[in-house]
Amino acid sequence: MPRKKIIAGNWKMNKTAKEAKKLIKELIPLVEKSKADVVICTPFTALYDAVRLTKGTNIAVGAQNIHFEEKGAYTGEVSADMLVDIGVKYVIIGHSERRQYFGDTDETVNLKLKTALSKGLIPIVCCGESLQQRELGVTNELIRTQIKAAFAGVEKEQAKNVIIAYEPIWAIGTGKTATSEQANDACRVIRCVIEEMYNKSTADSIRIQYGGSMNASNAAELLSKPDIDGGLIGGASLKADEFSKIVNYRE
Ligand code: PEP
């Protein structure tokens, strides 16, 4: 069965609740005919309104992080239960900005992934190399390590529900997009690791996004590649017009 594409917006630390409501209202009619799954990952403060406003539409709502513990003395953190409770469906895990600035590691990514799955959230797990790692020629090994570490202890039945986002760090927010060949090669490596860890049917059904300066002009080319099943979109997800053009990309 062909894999359904999935386009997710990562709003990062942008948009107040009021601004988010405006953007969502603009977006709803623009993406209603999408053939792809559409997800918006808003800041925590906009999630409640986002879920309410998108009810009955084809837009699902995601968070940008969770804590791996169920509850307790973790000041400033948000649990999976809290997200599920208000109707959030997806959660980004291990974004490179969280790894770089907030201490996320392969180990915490694994813990967060297992927590998200156990609570019924759909994780979008990020991996990807730095420019230095690409130049050293260690991209494939790095991605293999990140995927193996992230999925350690995850059962086959659960693994296929995970979305993986390949995001080369050098392409995030820089305007430098990976070529569609570079992006597809990395997504292929990820699919091979999933096949090694699980089986061919899991590898064939798992969805792998590309992320890194994807926009309305380059989306169709990237999404035409056989191993790229969608996009995780940062900057270009903050404008309804631009994001909807990616969602409605020409096949
Ligand atoms: C991201 O943050 O996940 C991302 C891909 O950002 P941008 O599209 O702005 O490069």
Side-chain angles (χ1 to χ4, degrees), residues 18-127:
K18 194 172 165 192
E19 290 164 346
K21 279 197 249 181
K22 184 170 175 280
L23 175 53
I24 293 166
K25 282 182 190 158
E26 284 168 16
L27 200 56
I28 290 171
L30 296 178
V31 300
E32 66 184 0
K33 297 209 169 68
S34 167
K35 290 196 199 125
D37 287 332
V38 184
V39 184
I40 52 170
C41 300
T42 78
F44 287 128
T45 47
L47 287 172
Y48 184 82
D49 285 327
V51 169
R52 209 171 39 87
L53 283 174
T54 55
K55 205 167 180 209
T57 75
N58 61 334
I59 302 177
V61 175
Q64 300 170 18
N65 184 35
I66 46 165
H67 196 278
F68 49 83
E69 292 291 354
E70 200 161 1
K71 60 167 84 161
Y74 301 100
T75 302
E77 293 293 310
V78 171
S79 74
D81 281 335
M82 292 169 186
L83 298 175
V84 171
D85 178 48
I86 61 163
V88 171
K89 296 272 184 280
Y90 289 79
V91 62
I92 300 174
I93 292 176
H95 190 281
S96 61
E97 286 153 16
R98 295 225 46 100
R99 293 181 193 248
Q100 186 178 353
Y101 305 124
F102 303 105
D104 277 15
T105 62
D106 284 348
E107 195 190 349
T108 59
V109 167
N110 174 247
L111 293 171
K112 290 178 183 195
L113 176 58
K114 288 191 284 200
T115 298
L117 287 168
S118 75
K119 299 292 181 181
L121 287 168
I122 304 174
I124 301 177
V125 180
C126 302
C127 64

Side-chain angles (χ1 to χ4, degrees), residues 10 12 95 97 167 171-175 211-214 232-236:
N10 172 17
K12 312 194 188 194
H95 190 281
E97 286 153 16
E167 298 210 307
I172 297 180
T174 57
S213 300
M214 196 190 264
L232 183 55
I233 324 292

Side-chain angles (χ1 to χ4, degrees), residues 212-227:
S213 300
M214 196 190 264
N215 57 40
S217 319
N218 58 29
E221 163 68 16
L222 287 157
L223 295 169
S224 72
K225 293 292 169 189
D227 283 298

Side-chain angles (χ1 to χ4, degrees), residues 129 131 134 139 143 166-172 174-188 209-214 217-228 230:
E129 81 288 1
L131 185 57
R134 176 158 283 269
T139 297
I143 296 171
Y166 165 63
E167 298 210 307
I169 298 168
W170 48 271
I172 297 180
T174 57
K176 280 188 208 154
T177 317
T179 64
S180 54
E181 285 74 26
Q182 285 172 325
N184 193 67
D185 286 351
C187 292
R188 181 83 216 135
Q209 299 173 314
Y210 165 77
S213 300
M214 196 190 264
S217 319
N218 58 29
E221 163 68 16
L222 287 157
L223 295 169
S224 72
K225 293 292 169 189
D227 283 298
I228 303 179

Side-chain angles (χ1 to χ4, degrees), residues 121-215:
L121 287 168
I122 304 174
I124 301 177
V125 180
C126 302
C127 64
E129 81 288 1
S130 65
L131 185 57
Q132 191 191 24
Q133 288 161 335
R134 176 158 283 269
E135 286 172 353
L136 285 171
V138 298
T139 297
N140 292 356
E141 286 100 301
L142 191 273
I143 296 171
R144 287 181 66 83
T145 305
Q146 287 180 328
I147 295 296
K148 285 195 157 195
F151 281 81
V154 174
E155 300 295 329
K156 191 167 60 195
E157 294 67 42
Q158 298 238 289
K160 61 174 182 299
N161 300 325
V162 178
I163 313 290
I164 300 172
Y166 165 63
E167 298 210 307
I169 298 168
W170 48 271
I172 297 180
T174 57
K176 280 188 208 154
T177 317
T179 64
S180 54
E181 285 74 26
Q182 285 172 325
N184 193 67
D185 286 351
C187 292
R188 181 83 216 135
V189 168
I190 293 168
R191 206 174 296 289
C192 289
V193 179
I194 295 296
E195 182 168 349
E196 278 168 35
M197 291 183 79
Y198 299 99
N199 55 21
K200 183 157 170 16
S201 117
T202 308
D204 283 344
S205 57
I206 205 161
R207 293 189 288 178
I208 307 174
Q209 299 173 314
Y210 165 77
S213 300
M214 196 190 264
N215 57 40

